[in-house]
Amino acid sequence: MRVKTKLLPNSSFGWFCFGIFVSATALKIGSNSPGIYAFLFFILFLILTFVFLSPPKFTKPFERKAFFAILASLVFLVFADTNQTSIPKQAKPFFRSFLMEELKQSPLSLFERRIVLGLVTGSTKEIPKDFKELAKESGILHLFAASGLHLGIFIGALQWFGNFIFNKHRWISILISLGFGFFYLYVLNFPVSFVRAYLFAFLTLVSSLFYRKIAVSDLLFISSAGISFFLFSDFLSIGFLLSFSAVFGIFYLKPSLDRMVFPRFQSLWKENLTLTTACSLCSFPILIYYFHSFSYGGIWINYCLVPMAGILLPSLYFTILIQTLLPTVLSGLFIDWLWTPSSFLLSLFLKLFHTITFWERGYKVWKEANICYLFVSLFLIFLLWFLHRMDWNQKKYTNMFVVGMICLFFPSTYWIQDSSSHQNLFQQGKGYFSFVISDGFYLFGTCSPYKRMEFPNPITAIKRIEFESESCLQTVLRLKKKHKGVEVIWFDRNQSPFGTVLDKDGLQIQRTKHLGGEITPFLSLFRFDGNPKQITSLLGSLKETERAHSQSLWQGYLVLDFPPWKKKEAKEWINYQKLLGISNAWKILIVEDHFEIPLLHHLTNPKLL
């Protein structure tokens, strides 16, 4: 017995869209090859001749399907605009301005407003950089990107509300939800994942009006064909692949996992578990191929936060809508009360996010795409689909074996240290950077409370931490507690009141020198943030350090980490280095210009520079 999980289309129109999909894929892959159009037309002519002009060899249904596919390919090659240029999809300026004005009236803090703006507009540029890095390493950046999850929740909330009001006229509810959904799609400028989600919702809801159920394979091919025909620049993009891989896991792998994992147990917890696992497994090949990274902790972080986002987003939509409809007089009186539920849910979401990401995010980076892991993940995806397709996933021992393979796959690929694993000795963020040299961990600048910093994965164990900012105390003390036997040195030039207390707890306090003067006998590195009050002290430290090192291989670096409004001044420091009294023994670098590259060159080959 076979269940209905076919990969090929089910209807004639599905086969028509399948022809568009195949032609678009061939054209996208061979876009840089000369004569690709002539080659595709020649292939279509050969298929047409073989199927229809040769003696009868195929059945009538197959010939009908082939006819629709070939016709669609010709239509696509003749009429589709394939010369589109890919541009970043940002929300319409008027919509973003409208949201910013509404959020300014809310009682939310500036940080919370930026988070809400990122959630509603689906733009990662709206959220703070440190929070964005944390979300990326936690595997939940899709919550702050224009993903189909947002539009699905938006249309789903409208559909539920519409069915409650128009329970006897369901078509009105569908019309309202699809209309507002298209408007939401328009103001966000048609991001590819939103387009995919809207086509899914449109086809599913419209078919339900006629008491029809559209096949999953038709849903996938029709939506992908629509994107390839009208948005060819976004076809087979990373966003396209991630979006369709996630829904492929939901449609094809989740039913198989539902039968394998606690088959007699039905609950929302199990549904969320199988959903998260299927989406993570299907997105794994794309993430390690294109980004060479994967957040293993993102599996359980998504398990906890995605349901919470499903409650938070409708609350934000409803609150902004009510605030917009209220008169100005009433809005000023009730604005705090109006935002109370959403503010509470947002605070709960952020608190839960920081709590669960505090323990372990499991973010791993490879130097290049790990082909072995990629093929193993593809094999597991095919195996899950095939077992469900053939209805073989009802046997106890088969289920235990496959589930065991999946459970071992993620931990093993995380813990195995192969030659392609990237040892990231440099870390950088807004207002800080850090690196590891020998057995020392050096932390320059200020630390954000939203960035949970960890040691890199060096070959030798870290035995010493050196830092300079009081804002990094919490991070350093946590690392000291987690890694026993680590020596900590605080270069406290601002005479912090905590210095005396912490000196008794084993922290060494250095108040007369700058951090970085004695990294190695052949290397010194200072960071300067552009504070004019520190220029005299900095120049004195540079001269003192230079006099203390007379070795021919010694090299000094001055890294300029200026705020955005002083970036032009950083380049002037390089141009007027001698006028500032800085000798040629110091090499001035700007933190945005990949300062770690010349530093890495010096560490591997001191004579290179």
Side-chain angles (χ1 to χ4, degrees), residues 530-544:
N531 186 355
K533 297 180 180 180
Q534 302 292 335
I535 293 180
T536 303
S537 174
L538 172 68
L539 294 177
S541 297
L542 293 177
K543 293 179 181 179
E544 180 182 350

Side-chain angles (χ1 to χ4, degrees), residues 45-76:
F45 174 77
L46 289 181
I47 296 175
L48 188 66
T49 304
F50 180 73
V51 174
F52 296 101
L53 300 182
S54 61
K57 295 180 180 180
F58 304 99
T59 61
K60 292 295 182 181
F62 178 83
E63 290 183 355
R64 184 173 65 252
K65 295 173 183 178
F67 170 76
F68 282 114
I70 295 172
L71 177 63
S73 299
L74 292 172
V75 170
F76 175 80

Side-chain angles (χ1 to χ4, degrees), residues 20 258-259 346 366 418 453 462 476 508 514 527 533 547-548 575 596:
I20 295 178
D258 287 336
R259 287 189 175 188
L346 180 62
W366 292 270
D418 54 11
M453 193 176 300
I462 294 176
V476 171
Q508 301 181 33
H514 272 91
R527 173 187 175 273
K533 297 180 180 180
R547 286 195 298 266
N575 296 332
E596 69 275 9

Side-chain angles (χ1 to χ4, degrees), residues 35 37 151 156 207 292 390 422 425 573 607:
Y37 271 92
L151 191 63
S207 62
H292 309 161
M390 303 305 295
H422 182 59
L425 304 183
W573 274 64
K607 297 182 180 180

Side-chain angles (χ1 to χ4, degrees), residues 331-532:
S331 177
L333 294 175
F334 297 102
I335 191 69
D336 291 341
W337 293 92
L338 179 64
W339 276 93
T340 298
S342 296
S343 179
F344 171 75
L345 291 173
L346 180 62
S347 301
L348 186 63
F349 176 83
L350 294 175
K351 180 65 176 179
L352 181 63
F353 170 70
H354 288 298
T355 301
I356 62 180
T357 55
F358 176 82
W359 299 105
E360 185 59 58
R361 296 187 294 277
Y363 185 68
K364 187 173 182 179
V365 181
W366 292 270
K367 296 178 183 178
E368 55 187 11
N370 194 309
I371 303 300
C372 177
Y373 293 169
L374 188 147
F375 278 107
V376 171
S377 62
L378 291 176
F379 171 75
L380 289 176
I381 292 171
F382 173 78
L383 182 63
L384 279 174
W385 167 79
F386 185 74
L387 289 176
H388 188 57
R389 171 66 175 158
M390 303 305 295
D391 202 21
W392 290 350
N393 54 358
Q394 295 184 6
K395 298 179 181 180
K396 180 180 178 180
Y397 294 105
T398 302
N399 293 350
M400 292 176 60
F401 177 73
V402 176
V403 172
M405 288 179 62
I406 297 174
C407 292
L408 289 175
F409 170 73
F410 288 110
S412 60
T413 53
Y414 175 70
W415 291 110
I416 293 176
Q417 295 292 337
D418 54 11
S419 59
S420 64
S421 297
H422 182 59
Q423 295 180 348
N424 184 15
L425 304 183
F426 294 92
Q427 300 181 65
Q428 181 183 347
K430 184 179 180 181
Y432 82 94
F433 61 84
S434 67
F435 55 83
V436 174
I437 293 180
S438 184
D439 59 353
F441 178 69
Y442 300 88
L443 178 55
F444 292 81
T446 58
C447 297
S448 169
Y450 306 109
K451 177 71 174 178
R452 183 175 181 268
M453 193 176 300
E454 288 289 353
F455 284 154
N457 187 25
I459 299 175
T460 58
I462 294 176
K463 299 179 180 179
R464 187 178 69 261
I465 301 176
E466 297 185 12
F467 70 105
E468 61 180 350
S469 174
E470 181 182 322
S471 62
C472 298
L473 269 174
Q474 183 179 3
T475 298
V476 171
L477 292 175
R478 176 177 55 81
L479 292 174
K480 183 177 183 293
K481 183 178 180 181
K482 186 175 180 180
H483 304 272
K484 304 297 183 182
V486 176
E487 179 187 6
V488 178
I489 304 175
W490 180 11
F491 289 79
D492 179 25
R493 297 181 60 85
N494 296 324
Q495 307 293 325
S496 172
F498 296 102
T500 306
V501 179
L502 294 174
D503 193 11
K504 299 177 181 179
D505 292 339
L507 267 74
Q508 301 181 33
I509 311 297
Q510 177 61 256
R511 293 188 172 92
T512 59
K513 295 183 178 180
H514 272 91
L515 170 63
E518 295 288 344
I519 293 180
T520 70
F522 305 100
L523 175 66
S524 299
L525 185 144
F526 292 148
R527 173 187 175 273
F528 181 54
D529 60 2
N531 186 355

